[in-house]
Amino acid sequence: MSGTNDLHANFCTQAAIDQQYNPSLGLADPTAPARRYAEVSAQARAQLPQRLDIPFGPTRAETLDIFPATTAGPRGAPVFVFIHGGYWRALSSKDFSGVALGLHARGITTVVVNYALCPFVTIDEIVRQVRAAVAWTVRNIAGYGGDPARIGVGGHSAGGHLTAMCMQTEWERDYGLPQDPIKAALMVSGIYDIAPLRYSYLQPMIQLNEGCIRRNSPAFSARPCPAPTWITWGGNETSEFARQSALMHAAWAAQGNRSELRPIDGADHFSVISGFESPRSALCDWLTATL
C-alpha cells in the first residue's frame, strides 16, 4: 500500500498534509460548524418522533437514535443508517439528529449511530461498533416501523470511511445475516486511504500504525457488492478529498459494483451534509430513489 512507509507520496511536510486534511483551517470561527450541527439537531429532536439512546452493544457509547417515519407501507418504511464524522475522535449522535429532518419528510426512518471515540478506543474498535450497529438495525428495525429489506447506510467524513468499512463486511460469516443486507451506500467526504493521517495533526489522538492502516483503508479491500453507491464530497473541499473519493470509486467499480462519483457543488466539508435537512435536496432525492 502506498504511503505507509514514508511521510506520504504526495506530501513533503506535516503542514502540507494538515492543509489538505484539516477542514477547520481557514474558517473564521472553527467552532461554528459544530454549533450549527447542534442547533439543527436540537430542532429535529423538538419536532420529530424519536427513540433515543437505544443500546446495540455492551459499552455505554454503543447506542443509536431512531427517528421513525410517520407513515409506512405494509412492509415498513425504508431506513437510512447515518454514521457521524469528527475524525473518529469528536462529536456524537446527538450532534447529527438534524440529518433526519429531510429524510423524515420523504418517509424514511433515520437511525443515527453513536460510537466510542479515539484515543479511548482504536479505529479497529470503532469499526466493530459501527458494524454491530448496522447488524442490530437489520435484526430489530422492523419493531420501529422500518423495513429490514430496505436499509441504506451512509456517513460523513470519518462516517464516510466507516460506511465504506461496513460495505466490506462479511455479514454472513461474521454476523449470520444475509451476505448483502445493505441496499444502498452514501459516502460523503470520506477518507479511504488513511495512511496520510498518520503524519497529520490527528495522529496523537487516532494513533495509527501499519496494521491499523492496512486493516482500515477500505480503498484497498473492496469486495463485490450489489448495493448502488454514491461517493461524493463538497465541491469547495481540498483536492485530497476529491482524490480520496476518486480512489474509492475506482476500487469499488473495479469489483463490478455500481458506483457514482459526483461532488456537491458549492459545499465545503461542513455544509456538504446540510442537504439532509431539506427533503428536496440531492442527498434526499438519491436515497428516496435508491431505497
Side-chain angles (χ1 to χ4, degrees), residues 20 22 28 40 63 73 92 97 108-109 112 118 125 145 156 164 177-178 192 223 246 250 252 254 264 269 288:
Q20 284 288 321
N22 185 351
V40 174
T63 63
S92 76
S97 304
I108 297 173
T109 288
V112 185
C118 297
E125 170 61 11
H156 169 237
L177 296 172
Y192 311 106
R223 69 169 179 86
W252 201 238
I264 296 177
H269 186 77
T288 301

Side-chain angles (χ1 to χ4, degrees), residues 21-246:
Y21 285 102
N22 185 351
S24 295
L25 293 178
L27 292 180
D29 180 1
T31 68
R35 287 203 312 274
R36 186 180 184 281
Y37 290 156
E39 290 166 1
V40 174
S41 293
Q43 175 188 343
R45 292 193 298 274
Q47 294 179 0
L48 302 180
Q50 61 209 250
R51 294 289 300 276
L52 305 180
D53 300 314
I54 299 170
F56 65 81
T59 69
R60 294 183 66 183
E62 292 175 79
T63 63
L64 47 81
D65 300 332
I66 300 177
F67 296 86
T70 302
T71 59
R75 296 181 300 165
V79 179
F80 180 60
V81 179
F82 180 79
I83 307 167
H84 75 79
Y87 267 142
W88 308 277
R89 89 310 182 207
L91 304 175
S92 76
S93 61
K94 296 300 183 293
D95 296 298
F96 294 92
S97 304
V99 170
L101 284 168
L103 296 174
H104 184 266
R106 298 297 290 267
I108 297 173
T109 288
T110 303
V111 177
V112 185
V113 177
N114 198 65
Y115 51 85
L117 301 173
C118 297
F120 303 103
V121 299
T122 63
I123 289 180
D124 287 301
E125 170 61 11
I126 293 172
V127 170
R128 184 204 65 78
Q129 291 185 13
V130 170
R131 286 170 168 166
V134 173
W136 184 98
T137 302
V138 174
R139 292 189 174 108
N140 294 281
I141 200 63
Y144 299 85
D147 182 354
R150 289 188 293 164
I151 295 176
V153 175
H156 169 237
S157 193
H161 163 269
L162 294 166
T163 298
M165 293 300 295
C166 284
M167 301 307 291
Q168 325 279 342
T169 307
E170 296 291 339
W171 294 106
E172 183 176 14
R173 183 194 70 191
D174 295 342
Y175 292 90
L177 296 172
Q179 175 61 3
D180 292 300
I182 300 170
K183 300 309 177 187
L186 177 54
M187 306 176 195
V188 184
S189 300
I191 308 296
Y192 311 106
D193 171 10
I194 65 174
L197 302 183
R198 185 177 185 180
Y199 307 100
S200 76
Y201 73 106
L202 293 162
Q203 175 62 4
M205 292 164 282
I206 63 176
Q207 299 179 4
L208 297 179
N209 58 38
E210 293 288 336
C212 183
I213 290 168
R214 285 194 299 271
R215 290 188 298 272
N216 296 290
S217 288
F220 304 104
S221 57
R223 69 169 179 86
C225 180
T229 300
W230 181 15
I231 301 172
T232 188
W233 69 101
N236 292 345
E237 296 197 69
T238 64
S239 59
E240 275 298 281
F241 282 96
R243 185 190 70 82
Q244 288 272 354
S245 298

